[in-house]
């Protein structure tokens, strides 16, 4: 045997073992679920039962082989039932098959165009409402069958005919249908070992057995021949091409969206499985093209079968393909069993399926997110009009609601006292806001001192001009206006070009301050102060007002004087939180040899009662580089770095922190920087004022190291380093090494 053959066998055997162990049993479970659903959906579509089986076979095999999802199972779906009924009524069965095949071609075009993810941009609330509307329509349709009658073509007709149908009830049909509903609803409370058998199969078998026990002759499923007798080529409908194109587009879009949403749900359930959405559309398109050419129903990814497939333990696409083969074997070899199933049993099954499409979780979500009106209007459109018009109306309402949310602005003018007023503008400030804006500004009396607080990310020229004109007029009447712009859109830019939406990054840039550029003509300090006055002074004022009588910082923060380190930013602290001391190399000379550092420590611990003391180093530190190279400058820097000789000795002596930093991938200079932080912690702990604070008041000592390359902060202790990744991260109390 050749080497290539040996390699092929070694590769295929584990895969074959996976199929036999996991996918084969899962395919049987999915087949048992798919069989009654395929029959019921065919009946609900006013089509022959055989065409539902054809679609199940094609969906399982063709979409299973060619699709982009390994675990999604395709076949005839309840989501397409309503539109299929309309298509059959309009074009006849063979014409509907042509529509299905053409929709498959269009789906293939979608897949080749790589626009699959665009279909996921449809508002989820509209999709949920569409499915709920379909479920209500199916339930209204099948209630008539359960009562022993025949369904009508539209939901409105089914509602109108329901009172008369209630007067003409067939008892055996009601008993069978209600028994199926009871089994379906109660199956979830059966023991787990019993629930291994699919509930739909048990319900249909139970309804069939009950039909034999009851007196009378229950209306049963009719087959006009074998599965192969139902196979036939489609016919081009005798309608205008515009009407045909609209129907093709409707089926293609609904089948595509439902398949993609189902694939997303399957990926979440499977955990780690990732669907190729473009390939999935190619597979769904090929399946619909094949089903249409063979005379079957439209095919889509079905969440019920797919969820069953995942829960049954399937590992590869083989389970979906095998399920289609089992449907084919059953349809050919055991077709006589199908004709024993009462139509009322399938009606009961479909009523439960339809009701389950209306999910309470979706209604609660729509209510929480403010989309309940979209949900209700879409359902009403689907039920009372038709599927396409209902979805289009839902999308229009969703877009209108989105537009209203995007363009709305909150404007409020309120008196602080007899002389001072506060005007707040929050949101998108455009010409649409002018009526509300002028109404609020008219409340302010002449001569008042006004603070205009603007938090807007879009400001057009019309709104800016109205504000500027009002400010000029108010100042001319003896009043004053302080304009505070906290949003990303600024009045100074409104007249310089077309309005553009600002972004939060601009606010962050303002917080971090202007970056110096070579050749800049404007002093960055002056520019920064101007930005601060315009954007943040108003926010700072109330915080600083609370600290007029003194400061109460939480921590003494000792860090390097490097300009790249901003203590309040990396600790997410506000004004008054940190008592900060900076020097070259974040050094703490021992035994009070530096009067400035000694004064800071004593004042912070004894006078300010700080609750923590932090020593913070950073990567790429110039002081640590000079210390590592033992550079001599002949200046006062040499005398200052002499305080860090103990850190250099500890580093060369193989300090634990240095070894941990090396293991984490840091270079020698940064290793020394972390060792220096650990040594400074030891120096702090040896200071009598700090030690008394630790022992008597529980003051916490902590070491930090800011890695500039990653903008991450690492915790440093005398024993090692650790990532800080949660609020409950413990900070070890340093002890002498």
């Amino acid at each position: 045997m050749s080497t290539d053959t040996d390699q092929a066998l070694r590769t295929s055997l584990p895969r074959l073992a996976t199929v036999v162990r996991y996918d084969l049993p899962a395919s049987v479970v999915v087949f048992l679920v798919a069989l009654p659903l395929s029959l019921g959906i065919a009946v609900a579509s006013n089509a022959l039962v055989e065409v539902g089986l054809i679609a199940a076979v094609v969906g399982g095999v063709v979409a299973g082989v060619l699709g982009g999802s390994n675990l999604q199972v395709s076949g005839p779906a309840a989501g397409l039932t309503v539109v299929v009924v309309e298509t059959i009524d309009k074009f006849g069965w063979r014409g509907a098959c042509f529509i299905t095949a053409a929709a498959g071609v269009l789906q293939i075009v979608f897949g080749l165009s790589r626009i699959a993810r665009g279909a996921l941009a449809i508002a989820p609330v509209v999709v949920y409402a569409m499915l709920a509307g379909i479920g209500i329509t199916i339930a209204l349709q099948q209630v008539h069958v359960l009562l022993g009658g025949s369904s009508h073509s539209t939901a409105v007709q089914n509602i109108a005919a329901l009172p008369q149908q209630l007067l003409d009830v067939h008892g055996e049909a009601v008993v069978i249908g209600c028994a199926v509903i009871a089994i379906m609803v109660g199956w979830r409370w059966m023991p787990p070992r019993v629930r291994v058998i699919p509930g739909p199969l048990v319900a249909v078998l139970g309804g069939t057995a009950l039909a034999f026990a009851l007196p009378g002759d229950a209306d049963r499923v009719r087959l006009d021949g074998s599965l192969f007798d139902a196979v036939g080529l489609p016919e081009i409908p005798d309608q205008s091409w515009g009407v045909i194109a609209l129907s093709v587009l409707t089926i293609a879009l609904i089948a595509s969206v439902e398949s993609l949403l189902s694939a997303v749900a399957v990926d979440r359930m499977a955990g780690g499985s990732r669907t190729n959405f473009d390939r999935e559309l190619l597979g769904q398109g090929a399946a619909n093209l094949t089903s249409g050419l063979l005379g079957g129903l439209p095919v889509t990814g079905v969440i019920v079968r797919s969820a069953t497939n995942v829960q049954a333990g399937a590992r590869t696409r083989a389970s979906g393909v095998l399920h289609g083969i089992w449907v084919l074997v059953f349809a050919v070899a055991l077709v006589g069993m199908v004709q024993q199933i009462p139509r009322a049993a399938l009606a009961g099954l479909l009523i439960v399926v339809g009701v389950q499409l209306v999910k309470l979780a979706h209604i609660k979500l729509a209510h929480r997110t403010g989309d309940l009106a979209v949900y209700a209007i879409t359902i009403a459109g689907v039920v009372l009009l038709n599927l396409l018009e209902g979805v289009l109306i839902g999308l229009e309402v969703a877009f209108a609601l989105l537009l209203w949310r995007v363009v709305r602005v909150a404007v409020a003018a309120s008196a602080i006292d007899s002389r001072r007023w506060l005007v707040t503008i929050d949101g998108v400030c455009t010409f649409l806001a002018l009526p509300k804006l002028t109404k609020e500004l008219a409340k302010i009396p002449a001569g008042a001192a006004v603070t205009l607080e603007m938090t807007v990310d879009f400001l057009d020229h019309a709104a800016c001009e109205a504000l500027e004109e009002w400010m000029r007029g108010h100042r001319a009447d003896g009043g004053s206006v302080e304009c505070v712009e906290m949003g990303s859109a600024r009045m100074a830019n409104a007249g310089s070009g077309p309005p553009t939406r600002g972004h939060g990054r601009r606010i962050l840039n303002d917080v971090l301050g202007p970056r110096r550029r070579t050749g800049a003509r404007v002093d960055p300090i002056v520019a920064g102060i101007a930005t601060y006055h315009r954007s943040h002074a108003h926010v700072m004022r109330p915080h600083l007002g609370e600290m007029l009588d003194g400061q109460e910082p939480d921590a003494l923060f000792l860090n390097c004087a490097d300009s790249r380190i901003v203590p309040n930013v990396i600790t997410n602290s506000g004004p008054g939180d940190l008592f900060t001391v900076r020097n070259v190399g974040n050094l703490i000379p021992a035994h009070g040899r530096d009067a400035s550092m000694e004064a800071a420590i004593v004042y912070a611990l004894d006078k300010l009662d700080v609750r923590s003391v932090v020593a913070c180093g950073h990567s790429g530190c110039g002081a640590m580089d000079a210390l590592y190279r033992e550079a001599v400058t002949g200046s006062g820097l040499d005398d200052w770095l002499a305080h860090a000789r103990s850190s250099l000795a500890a580093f060369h002596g193989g300090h634990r922190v240095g070894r941990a930093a090396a293991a984490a991938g840091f270079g020698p200079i940064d290793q020394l920087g972390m060792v220096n932080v650990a040594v400074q912690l030891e120096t702090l702990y040896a200071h009598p004022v700090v030690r008394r604070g630790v022992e008597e008041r529980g003051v916490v000592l902590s070491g930090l190291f800011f890695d500039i390359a990653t903008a991450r902060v690492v915790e440093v202790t005398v024993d090692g380093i650790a990532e800080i990744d949660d609020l409950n991260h413990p900070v070890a109390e340093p002890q002498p090494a």
Side-chain angles (χ1 to χ4, degrees):
M1 186 177 293
S2 68
T3 304
D4 292 342
T5 305
D6 290 340
Q7 180 64 32
L9 281 175
R10 283 195 297 269
T11 303
S12 63
L13 284 177
R15 182 178 179 86
L16 180 60
T18 299
V19 171
V20 172
R21 182 176 179 181
Y22 298 104
D23 296 318
L24 182 60
S27 70
V28 175
V29 176
V30 177
F31 156 70
L32 295 176
V33 172
L35 180 64
L37 290 177
S38 299
L39 297 174
I41 290 168
V43 172
S45 302
N46 292 341
L48 298 176
V49 171
E50 298 94 322
V51 304
L53 298 175
I54 291 174
V57 173
V58 171
V61 176
V62 178
V65 171
L66 302 178
S69 174
N70 288 333
L71 299 179
Q72 174 154 267
V73 180
S74 300
L80 284 169
T81 301
V82 175
V83 71
V84 170
V85 170
E86 295 175 355
T87 304
I88 295 174
D89 289 343
K90 188 180 297 183
F91 302 109
W93 173 243
R94 292 300 173 191
C97 292
F98 175 85
I99 300 295
T100 300
V105 174
L106 186 56
Q107 285 183 288
I108 293 174
V109 173
F110 289 162
L112 294 175
S113 302
R114 300 187 179 277
I115 62 171
R117 290 189 179 273
L120 299 178
I122 295 177
V125 66
V126 175
V127 177
Y128 298 151
M130 177 193 76
L131 295 175
I134 291 170
I136 293 172
T137 303
I138 292 173
L140 290 172
Q141 180 192 67
Q142 295 304 309
V143 163
H144 287 271
V145 179
L146 183 143
L147 295 175
S150 299
S151 62
H152 300 272
S153 57
T154 68
V156 175
Q157 292 174 344
N158 283 318
I159 295 173
L162 189 57
Q164 181 60 40
Q165 184 64 61
L166 290 172
L167 298 175
D168 187 21
V169 172
H170 291 66
E172 69 279 1
V174 173
V175 172
I176 294 170
C178 290
V180 169
I181 292 174
I183 294 173
M184 287 283 291
V185 172
W187 198 248
R188 69 180 68 181
W189 288 290
M190 297 299 290
R193 291 184 179 180
V194 177
R195 289 203 309 271
V196 171
I197 306 172
L201 179 67
V202 175
V204 171
L205 291 177
T208 303
L210 186 59
F212 285 107
L214 291 173
D217 186 16
D219 191 11
R220 302 176 189 274
V221 172
R222 297 185 181 87
L223 294 177
D224 295 331
S226 68
L227 185 68
F228 298 110
D229 292 333
V231 174
L233 293 175
E235 297 177 357
I236 299 177
D238 186 18
Q239 301 278 352
S240 68
W241 283 106
V243 175
I244 294 174
L246 182 61
S247 297
V248 170
L249 181 62
T250 301
I251 290 181
L253 287 177
I254 294 174
S256 299
V257 171
E258 187 170 349
S259 296
L260 294 177
L261 291 176
S262 174
V264 171
V266 171
D267 286 348
R268 291 174 181 169
M269 287 186 289
S273 176
R274 290 294 178 265
T275 296
N276 182 325
F277 292 113
D278 295 310
R279 180 179 170 182
E280 181 63 20
L281 280 190
L282 289 173
Q284 295 294 332
N288 273 316
L289 174 60
T290 305
S291 184
L293 292 176
L294 294 178
L297 288 172
V299 168
T300 182
V302 186
I303 188 60
V304 175
R305 304 179 199 193
S306 303
T308 302
N309 193 38
V310 174
Q311 292 165 0
R315 297 291 179 88
T316 72
R317 63 180 67 243
S319 59
V321 176
L322 288 172
H323 121 274
I325 294 175
W326 305 146
V327 174
L328 176 62
V329 171
F330 176 87
V332 173
L334 302 172
V335 68
M337 293 180 59
V338 176
Q339 300 186 79
Q340 305 303 318
I341 300 174
R343 292 180 69 243
L346 295 179
L349 172 67
L350 288 168
I351 288 173
V352 174
V353 171
V355 171
Q356 288 176 342
L357 290 176
V358 185
K359 296 186 180 298
L360 183 60
H362 292 162
I363 298 174
K364 291 181 177 179
L365 177 63
H367 182 265
R368 285 199 309 270
T369 57
D371 294 324
L372 192 58
V374 179
Y375 186 86
I377 291 173
T378 304
I379 289 179
V382 171
V383 173
L384 301 178
L385 299 174
N386 58 57
L387 187 63
L388 180 60
E389 292 181 12
V391 170
L392 290 177
I393 292 173
L395 289 174
E396 290 172 359
V397 174
F399 182 76
L401 182 60
L402 172 64
L403 186 63
W404 177 77
R405 288 170 174 169
V406 169
V407 303
R408 69 176 177 173
V409 61
V411 183
S414 57
I416 300 174
D417 54 37
S418 59
R419 285 286 302 163
R420 293 185 301 160
W421 280 68
L422 173 65
V423 178
T424 58
I425 304 175
D426 189 5
V428 176
C429 195
T430 67
F431 64 92
L432 297 174
L434 292 182
K436 183 186 296 185
L437 184 62
T438 55
K439 177 183 177 182
E440 290 297 312
L441 294 177
K443 298 178 181 178
I444 302 173
V450 178
T451 299
L452 178 60
E453 187 179 282
M454 298 178 61
T455 311
V456 299
D457 60 358
F458 187 89
L459 178 68
D460 71 358
H461 180 68
C464 181
E465 188 177 68
L467 286 170
E468 290 176 340
E469 183 178 349
W470 174 81
M471 286 190 289
R472 283 194 298 268
H474 187 73
R475 286 167 179 159
D477 291 338
S480 65
V481 180
E482 179 188 8
C483 186
V484 180
E485 297 180 271
M486 296 185 293
S488 52
R490 303 295 163 83
M491 294 179 66
N493 302 326
S496 60
T500 57
R501 180 173 292 277
H503 299 282
R505 176 70 199 184
R506 298 181 185 176
I507 301 176
L508 179 60
N509 288 339
D510 286 344
V511 173
L512 295 178
R515 287 170 289 183
R516 186 182 298 275
R517 293 178 174 84
T518 304
R521 296 182 179 179
V522 179
D523 185 345
I525 299 299
V526 174
I529 293 172
T531 300
Y532 162 74
H533 283 161
R534 186 173 60 251
S535 304
H536 306 299
H538 182 69
V539 180
M540 292 275 288
R541 192 178 303 151
H543 296 286
L544 294 175
E546 297 174 357
M547 295 182 282
L548 289 176
D549 297 329
Q551 58 174 320
E552 295 181 359
D554 293 320
L556 168 61
F557 200 91
L558 309 170
N559 68 292
C560 185
D562 193 289
S563 62
R564 297 167 293 180
I565 313 304
V566 188
N568 287 88
V569 172
I570 66 176
T571 60
N572 194 33
S573 304
D577 291 338
L578 302 179
F579 185 74
T580 305
V581 178
R582 308 182 70 144
N583 62 50
V584 175
N586 49 278
L587 303 180
I588 305 163
H591 310 299
R593 285 180 290 173
D594 181 73
S596 175
M597 181 60 69
E598 181 72 8
I601 293 175
V602 173
Y603 189 76
L605 272 295
D606 282 351
K607 301 299 181 182
L608 300 180
D609 293 328
V610 296
R611 290 182 287 274
S612 64
V613 180
V614 181
C616 180
H618 66 92
S619 63
C621 180
M624 294 299 104
D625 180 66
L627 182 67
Y628 180 77
R629 293 186 292 104
E630 299 191 53
V632 178
T633 66
S635 65
L637 182 61
D638 296 338
D639 296 334
W640 177 251
L641 289 181
H643 296 303
R645 288 289 176 182
S646 57
S647 298
L648 184 63
F651 170 72
H652 286 310
H655 196 283
R656 291 187 293 266
V657 171
R659 296 199 303 269
F666 290 95
I669 305 300
D670 293 345
Q671 295 171 30
L672 175 57
M674 292 188 189
V675 170
N676 181 58
V677 171
V679 171
Q680 304 313 310
L681 289 177
E682 296 172 3
T683 303
L684 280 169
Y685 191 76
H687 194 289
V689 174
V690 177
R691 188 162 196 149
R692 186 171 64 249
V694 171
E695 295 174 351
E696 296 179 2
R697 295 194 294 112
V699 171
V700 176
L701 302 187
S702 57
L704 302 176
F705 186 86
F706 182 68
D707 182 23
I708 296 175
T710 62
R712 299 278 294 178
V713 179
V714 178
E715 182 189 15
V716 179
T717 69
V718 295
D719 295 319
I721 63 175
E723 286 286 336
I724 300 177
D725 53 7
D726 61 72
L727 294 175
N728 297 318
H729 186 82
V731 179
E733 182 179 297
Q735 299 292 338

